[in-house]
Amino acid sequence: MFVRKFLPARVTGAVLLAGATRQLAQAGIPDPGRDARRLLAHVLGVAPGRLSLCLQDPVTPEDEAAFSDLIARRALHAPVSHLTGRRAFYGRDFQVTPDVLDPRPETETLVAQALSAPFDRVLDLGTGSGCLLFTLLAERGSATGIGTDLSEAALRVAGRNGDALGLMARAALRRGDWFGALGSLSGRFDLIVSNPPYIAATEMPGLAPDVRDHEPRMALTDEGDGLSAYRAIAAGAARHLVPGGRLLVEIGPTQGAAVAALFAQAGLDEIAVIPDLDGRDRVVAARLQAV
Ligand SMILES: C[S@@+](CC[C@H](N)C(=O)[O-])C[C@H]1O[C@@H](n2cnc3c(N)ncnc32)[C@H](O)[C@@H]1O
């Protein structure tokens, strides 16, 4: 006797996406559709911009299960970058793990400012994923640089990013407390950059759970007033910059005046507070006077 077998109909990406978006919305995720699309694109191995082209295709049971797992974790506020392990920054792809800050688009303001003038030797204090150091080295093919961090685990992630981008021949990574990480390494820098932890301890409870509960605490806060990293950086800048060298730091939007004052007290010149694309103060720039 002829027996016709019916395979269960496979669900399409469009159906999965609609359900996932509802699930994330119910969990209070701010942009549920965007995150669901990014996670489905990740599971299907397509660029997010090309996802629409395959939304009507049936999804395999394995991909459906993997997507469902990621959506369940996102509903618990795990950052998308931790779920995909990747984050695009200034046009390059960086590995991101729970050991490093998820590189933020607003940090590209500091990159643009750094690239607005020449430099040969750059120091990135608190390098995290290495997104600042390796972006600057990739954009300036003859420059060399050092990235430092207090976190050994963060430096391992930075090293993997440097390797993946083929930049470790021009870079070194050192562990330690701000300038203390340089140890016996000699030589001054014509550019020092830093995006240090700048959230005051009292502000930590008010952060979004995606950030507060999932990103490394030492990447977010100095456990004080949010300015202690700037004090350490200001105190050491003149000893580590060449005359005419530049210092650029990312700041929280309300910290411009306080950080500018610290840099002025440290004897730096040409101090400027620079806004990001949303018009919020984001970078403080200064220069060591040329002799
Ligand atoms: C806001 S994250 C910035 C990471 C990366 N530069 C970026 O822009 O995405 C600050 C980094 O500073 C590091 N850090 C915190 N305290 C430090 C210290 N005392 N000395 C050196 N690095 C420190 C943290 O581990 C973290 O990687």
Side-chain angles (χ1 to χ4, degrees), residues 89 99-104 107 110 124-133 148-152 154-155 174-179 181 193-198 216-222 229 232 250:
F89 182 79
D99 289 320
V100 296
L101 188 89
D102 185 3
R104 306 291 205 269
T107 301
L110 194 156
D124 176 17
L125 295 167
T127 197
S129 63
C131 62
L132 279 176
L133 175 69
T148 75
D149 209 289
L150 199 53
S151 161
E152 189 70 51
L155 288 174
R174 292 285 182 274
R175 182 179 174 276
D177 185 27
W178 306 126
F179 292 106
V193 297
S194 184
N195 174 19
Y198 54 68
R217 191 173 167 98
M218 70 184 286
L220 299 171
T221 179
D222 61 353
E250 180 166 321

